[in-house]
Amino acid sequence: MKFTEISDTIKWIIFKGGFSLKDENILNDEKKEEIMLEKASAEKEYSNDTLTDELESLAQTFREELKKAQELTDEEFVEAYADDLGIIPEEELCECCGERRKDKTRGESYQYCSVCRENMKAYPLSVPNLLVSVVLVVVSIFSVVLFCNDFYGYNMMYKAEKAEKENKISSAIKYYDATIDEFSEGNITPKRAYLYSAVLMYETMGNGTDTMTEISDRIDTALSDFAKKLPVFSHIADIQLESEIIFATMQEFYNIIGAEEYANYTSDDKEMYEEIMTKIGALIDKKVSIVSKDGKTTQMHPSNAAMVRFCQYMFAYISENYDDSYQYMLEVEKLEPDYLWLYAYELGIVETQTGDVNKAKELAEAIIKKNVEDPDGYSLYTSVERLNGNFEKATRWADKGLEYSPENAELMRLKAMALCCKGDFEEAKAVIDEALKIQEYAVLYFTAMVVENELGNTDVVESYKTALKEENVEISERMTKYLSGELTALQLFTEGTGEVE
Amino acid sequence: MTILYVLTRIVTFFGAVLRTFWEHVACRICKIPVEDARVFKYDELCGHVEHELCENLKESFLVTWLPFTLNFLMGTAFLLTGSYRLFFIGETDSLQTYALVWLGVSCYANCAPSFEDMLTLKDYIYGSKNKVLKVVLSPYFAVTCGSAYLERYSLTFVISIVITIVFPKVVNLLFPVFDWLDQMVY
């Protein structure tokens, strides 16, 4: 019989006995106990002896258990009586709440109770993380919108790089310019576009002296003074310096020929010609001044020798001293063979007219190799083939050039000349009329006069003569010979210089 | 390596926060118990959510795929402007450009799942008897596995910088397609 059962029995006995320990009428303790025992034994059929034995046994058990419990350590005590006491060992406690038992159904090493596990499934999202994520999503959408807005500029830059790879330098520069214009509206500086276009412009010098200043400006926009000193950009700094020196050399040349003392110079004045030519030649040993952008510093650099020779070529040409001009142009080629933009076309024309067709072809090939869109190369090829009597080839070269430069009046003129040589005067007229819509200059009118004359349109020829007279342009000697009948159109275009002047 | 790993997470702070957030969202969707959702902790789970092992392939796939894809997409969005402006057209004066580049690098450097998640995914894919599933998911797993390994040694940070530099060259390959679409539309 367990201790609790015995205590319950005793309580029942007391209840059933109807005694209240606080009742003053109750008999003394010994008598009370005797009566209780009598009643209990009567109700439960326990004898006194049996009940006494039971109580003694119960007390003995209690003493033994107490002794055992006193011998146990705290941990052993908890372990032995944990269930009775409702205590969970520490290693069994959930590592999250520390209150409930670990859920062993998920494995012996599982660390959490089932309640905490359920709560962990709904672990709240961190508010700072959420805010950061929302902000970044908005920024990413903004970035995509910016890209779409700038896409035209990027596309132009992409086309520029593609054209550059295909040696279409004119198109590449045009696309770089479009990139710069597009981004300048948004106050964005596309430095790569500035830099690459400057390099291409230096290699082709499309617009002469304007190009030289533009090159310098673009390099200044792209690179800081510090960046120009870095080894990776040293060649860019050299390009800038070279273009500034070329420009400064040209300025010195203009200063010489613009001097008041030479205001009345004519090509007949041989003495003055020599004097001016000597002064121009002396620039080779002279230093030119390069002023910094802020105007604070001036540096002296030797002038560009090839440019000096080119200036001498120009002066000799306008003085109609063609032998000298040819020699100076050869000097330019020797000094700076890479400066195709400076000498290749003019030298090629001279070589064509003097008979060195192979040299002219080499120069034409070099021009086209450098820039497949350069009309000068196609013009040279057209002229070479025409002078060689290959009129069909000449027409095809002109057509090829016009594919890249559809509004090049000079190419159209050369094509018209080749068509005249073939006898296709109607087609030549269509071409030359188109050219006159684009541009008007003396040799174009001369060529048009030849075409109209061959078609019998004398009134048109007269109108052209009148127009030229109004502009104080004299009919060239070769044209006069043609118009007087001394030369046929074929002779005009294929013999001697092969030109209308 | 842990210190290098943690430092990389700190440098690519925003990417780590984003990835942790997306992983947490994936765990919530799949009702995977989350033990620790802090972003920064000094162990190999820095920048990841500490959670119970996934119980099936779907859970494992979502937990690895969602953060990877979202961080990749957002990184791409940032680099569309950042990388193009800095490396394609050379715009070096704007703070906005550098910020977008940094965000893009951060996102790309924090695409990879944790090593444990990668191993779990591997078990589910290659433990399955479905051969079609293995074939279809193998490329995805290859990318996930490779990136998880690289992230262990903080190489994803270096690779993300390289990707940022060549990003315009790669996207430029799509420009002819955009031109064609433009012509079709207009």
Side-chain angles (χ1 to χ4, degrees):
Chain A
M1 196 181 197
K2 280 195 176 172
F3 177 73
T4 49
E5 288 174 3
I6 294 169
S7 67
D8 286 343
T9 306
I10 292 171
K11 283 177 192 170
W12 178 84
I13 292 168
I14 292 170
F15 175 70
K16 275 304 213 183
F19 287 111
S20 168
L21 294 176
K22 288 186 183 172
D23 191 343
E24 288 179 2
N25 294 325
I26 289 173
L27 301 167
N28 61 33
D29 290 345
E30 282 183 8
K31 195 61 179 171
K32 263 193 287 185
E33 189 178 337
E34 193 181 323
I35 291 168
M36 275 165 57
L37 286 171
E38 278 176 11
K39 281 230 177 241
S41 64
E43 289 286 338
K44 289 280 184 179
E45 297 178 359
Y46 289 131
S47 65
N48 280 350
D49 291 336
T50 309
L51 209 53
T52 306
D53 289 341
E54 285 292 331
L55 284 172
E56 280 181 13
S57 167
L58 185 65
Q60 180 64 25
T61 307
F62 180 75
R63 279 195 289 276
E64 283 169 6
E65 289 296 324
L66 184 62
K67 190 179 173 186
K68 268 192 219 171
Q70 281 170 343
E71 286 169 2
L72 289 174
T73 61
D74 288 344
E75 289 79 18
E76 288 167 342
F77 182 82
V78 167
E79 196 179 336
Y81 297 102
D83 287 337
D84 293 326
L85 296 170
I87 295 170
I88 303 171
E90 198 172 317
E91 64 271 16
E92 295 289 319
L93 281 173
C94 169
E95 288 194 15
C96 180
C97 61
E99 292 172 359
R100 289 175 286 272
R101 193 182 289 275
K102 289 179 184 176
D103 185 1
K104 293 292 184 187
T105 59
R106 301 208 63 82
E108 278 301 315
S109 59
Y110 192 70
Q111 296 163 323
Y112 307 106
C113 65
S114 54
V115 173
C116 288
R117 185 170 186 273
E118 285 307 306
N119 290 339
M120 281 196 280
K121 288 182 184 178
Y123 198 115
L125 295 170
S126 161
V127 172
N129 287 2
L130 177 64
L131 288 172
V132 167
S133 303
V134 167
V135 167
L136 288 179
V137 167
V138 170
V139 172
S140 68
I141 293 169
F142 173 68
S143 175
V144 173
V145 169
L146 272 182
F147 176 78
C148 293
N149 275 347
D150 295 340
F151 180 75
Y152 179 75
Y154 298 138
N155 201 15
M156 289 296 107
M157 187 78 183
Y158 164 74
K159 285 182 175 177
E161 288 189 342
K162 193 175 163 206
E164 196 180 336
K165 276 183 198 155
E166 293 170 358
N167 274 351
K168 294 179 182 174
I169 307 299
S170 308
S171 291
I173 292 173
K174 184 182 81 177
Y175 287 130
Y176 281 131
D177 288 345
T179 306
I180 290 166
D181 291 338
E182 177 67 19
F183 284 112
S184 62
E185 288 172 20
N187 293 323
I188 296 168
T189 312
K191 292 183 180 177
R192 281 182 82 234
Y194 277 106
L195 204 60
Y196 290 1
S197 60
V199 172
L200 291 180
M201 285 161 83
Y202 176 77
E203 290 176 0
T204 53
M205 288 289 188
N207 292 330
T209 50
D210 287 344
T211 304
M212 292 171 208
T213 50
E214 185 65 27
I215 289 167
S216 187
D217 289 343
R218 288 190 182 202
I219 290 175
D220 279 334
T221 306
L223 298 174
S224 62
D225 289 337
F226 171 74
K228 284 182 215 169
K229 290 176 186 156
L230 296 173
V232 68
F233 292 123
S234 62
H235 69 291
I236 304 290
D238 291 343
I239 284 172
Q240 184 181 30
L241 182 62
E242 205 55 39
S243 61
E244 285 173 351
I245 290 172
I246 291 170
F247 182 74
T249 308
M250 285 288 290
Q251 291 301 117
E252 291 290 337
F253 165 69
Y254 290 137
N255 291 343
I256 292 170
I257 61 171
E260 214 174 308
E261 60 196 287
Y262 304 127
N264 297 321
Y265 169 75
T266 60
S267 54
D268 299 326
D269 192 338
K270 298 296 173 195
E271 207 176 300
M272 205 177 270
Y273 170 83
E274 289 299 330
E275 189 182 328
I276 296 172
M277 196 56 90
T278 308
K279 272 193 175 174
I280 298 171
L283 287 174
I284 281 186
D285 300 318
K286 203 178 161 186
K287 287 194 175 181
V288 293
S289 59
I290 309 292
V291 181
S292 62
K293 288 287 177 243
D294 56 12
K296 287 181 185 170
T297 53
T298 303
Q299 289 179 334
M300 302 303 290
H301 291 275
S303 63
N304 187 292
M307 201 63 204
V308 171
R309 295 298 180 218
F310 181 77
C311 294
Q312 286 180 306
Y313 152 80
M314 279 201 297
F315 183 65
Y317 190 88
I318 59 176
S319 303
E320 295 173 11
N321 198 331
Y322 300 119
D323 290 333
D324 277 0
S325 69
Y326 176 64
Q327 293 304 321
Y328 287 128
M329 194 51 92
L330 287 175
E331 279 290 305
V332 172
E333 185 192 13
K334 209 166 32 173
L335 284 165
E336 294 282 0
D338 287 339
Y339 282 15
L340 286 171
W341 51 271
L342 195 54
Y343 69 85
Y345 181 67
E346 283 76 14
L347 187 59
I349 291 292
V350 171
E351 298 292 0
T352 306
Q353 291 168 353
T354 55
D356 193 349
V357 167
N358 287 334
K359 179 82 184 276
K361 275 187 174 177
E362 276 172 21
L363 289 166
E365 183 62 36
I367 293 171
I368 290 173
K369 198 176 172 186
K370 188 91 173 181
N371 178 11
V372 80
E373 294 175 318
D374 194 338
D376 289 347
Y378 299 100
S379 299
L380 260 182
Y381 262 126
T382 305
S383 300
V384 164
E385 297 298 350
R386 191 187 75 246
L387 288 167
N388 278 349
N390 303 323
F391 306 129
E392 187 58 43
K393 263 189 181 177
T395 318
R396 278 205 299 270
W397 275 115
D399 283 336
K400 223 173 180 180
L402 286 167
E403 271 176 31
Y404 295 114
S405 309
E407 305 223 324
N408 190 292
E410 182 60 13
L411 265 173
M412 288 179 182
R413 186 184 77 87
L414 293 169
K415 181 181 176 182
M417 287 163 72
L419 287 167
C420 277
C421 294
K422 277 171 69 178
D424 291 338
F425 299 111
E426 287 294 341
E427 204 179 329
K429 178 179 161 59
V431 172
I432 208 77
D433 285 345
E434 195 62 38
L436 281 168
K437 285 180 196 170
I438 294 166
Q439 217 172 341
E440 292 180 356
Y441 51 97
V443 289
L444 189 58
Y445 271 106
F446 292 160
T447 311
M449 280 162 65
V450 171
V451 173
E452 297 293 349
N453 194 51
E454 293 298 318
L455 285 169
N457 300 331
T458 47
D459 50 340
V460 180
V461 174
E462 290 306 315
S463 71
Y464 287 156
K465 278 185 185 174
T466 310
L468 286 167
K469 202 173 176 183
E470 282 170 9
E471 298 294 327
N472 295 319
V473 174
E474 281 184 28
I475 307 288
S476 66
E477 196 183 318
R478 283 178 65 82
M479 274 302 293
T480 308
K481 282 184 179 177
Y482 163 74
L483 289 169
S484 66
E486 274 182 64
L487 289 171
T488 63
L490 190 65
Q491 284 173 316
L492 180 66
F493 291 148
T494 59
E495 290 176 10
T497 61
E499 265 295 353
V500 291
E501 58 173 6
Chain B
M1 291 310 293
T2 306
I3 189 165
L4 181 65
Y5 180 82
V6 172
L7 277 173
T8 314
R9 295 309 122 220
I10 292 170
V11 167
T12 57
F13 166 79
F14 284 113
V17 168
L18 270 178
R19 179 174 58 190
T20 311
F21 182 74
W22 303 133
E23 276 190 20
H24 198 168
V25 166
C27 289
R28 286 287 294 261
I29 292 170
C30 299
K31 292 188 177 19
I32 300 171
V34 170
E35 296 171 24
D36 188 353
R38 289 176 301 156
V39 179
F40 295 106
K41 31 197 185 266
Y42 192 75
D43 57 30
E44 63 178 22
L45 282 177
C46 178
H48 292 283
V49 164
E50 196 175 337
H51 58 82
E52 272 189 20
L53 290 177
C54 304
E55 292 181 347
N56 53 54
L57 178 60
K58 282 181 203 165
E59 286 179 9
S60 182
F61 182 81
L62 191 69
V63 164
T64 54
W65 175 83
L66 187 74
F68 181 94
T69 305
L70 291 177
N71 262 26
F72 179 79
L73 288 175
M74 286 183 65
T76 304
F78 292 130
L79 290 181
L80 274 177
T81 296
S83 182
Y84 261 86
R85 282 198 180 176
L86 185 61
F87 296 111
F88 190 52
I89 65 169
E91 216 285 326
T92 56
D93 295 334
S94 166
L95 205 60
Q96 181 188 63
T97 302
Y98 290 113
L100 287 170
V101 167
W102 176 53
L103 286 172
V105 169
S106 298
C107 285
Y108 273 14
N110 287 281
C111 279
S114 68
F115 207 71
E116 282 173 7
D117 287 340
M118 183 273 291
L119 289 175
T120 309
L121 180 69
K122 178 187 163 195
D123 289 339
Y124 282 124
I125 292 175
Y126 295 105
S128 161
K129 291 179 183 172
N130 188 333
K131 285 183 184 171
V132 173
L133 194 75
K134 285 179 190 175
V135 168
V136 168
L137 289 180
S138 281
Y140 169 72
F141 174 72
V143 172
T144 315
C145 178
S147 57
Y149 267 106
L150 289 171
E151 193 182 73
R152 264 191 139 183
Y153 304 103
S154 301
L155 290 174
T156 49
F157 180 59
V158 174
I159 289 169
S160 63
I161 292 173
V162 171
I163 290 174
T164 302
I165 295 170
V166 302
F167 184 86
K169 288 194 197 308
V170 173
V171 177
N172 279 355
L173 297 172
L174 295 173
F175 273 40
V177 175
F178 296 149
D179 269 345
W180 176 78
L181 284 170
D182 193 47
Q183 282 166 20
M184 292 291 284
V185 170
Y186 294 108

